[in-house]
Amino acid sequence: PPRGLLAVACSIDAFAVGVSFAFMTLNIWLSVIIIGVTTGLFSAAGLYIGRAFGSRWQKPAQIAGGIVLILIGRYR
């Protein structure tokens, strides 16, 4: 697939959400706050989980990540 395909798909998705918000009767600022807080909480949870399990799973995760990168390079 072309390099920018994921970026285009993400842009289309963001455009669709923006247009949907424009046609809905809702408080845009409340939506922004809810989306921001949810994203922040999930990011914080990911950091916490990563720190808690990082020492135990660091080496296997690095190996798995390397294999994935090799496969991406191989079948691209």
Side-chain angles (χ1 to χ4, degrees), residues 2-64:
R3 288 182 178 225
L5 190 60
L6 186 58
V8 171
C10 184
S11 297
I12 292 170
D13 181 58
F15 176 75
V17 170
V19 170
S20 299
F21 275 13
F23 287 110
M24 296 170 63
T25 55
L26 51 82
N27 184 344
I28 190 71
W29 293 109
L30 179 62
S31 300
V32 168
I33 290 169
I34 291 171
I35 291 169
V37 168
T38 302
T39 302
L41 289 174
F42 274 96
S43 296
L47 288 171
Y48 177 77
I49 292 168
R51 186 176 302 155
F53 292 99
S55 60
R56 165 65 176 102
W57 296 100
Q58 180 179 4
K59 189 67 172 175
Q62 287 177 341
I63 293 170

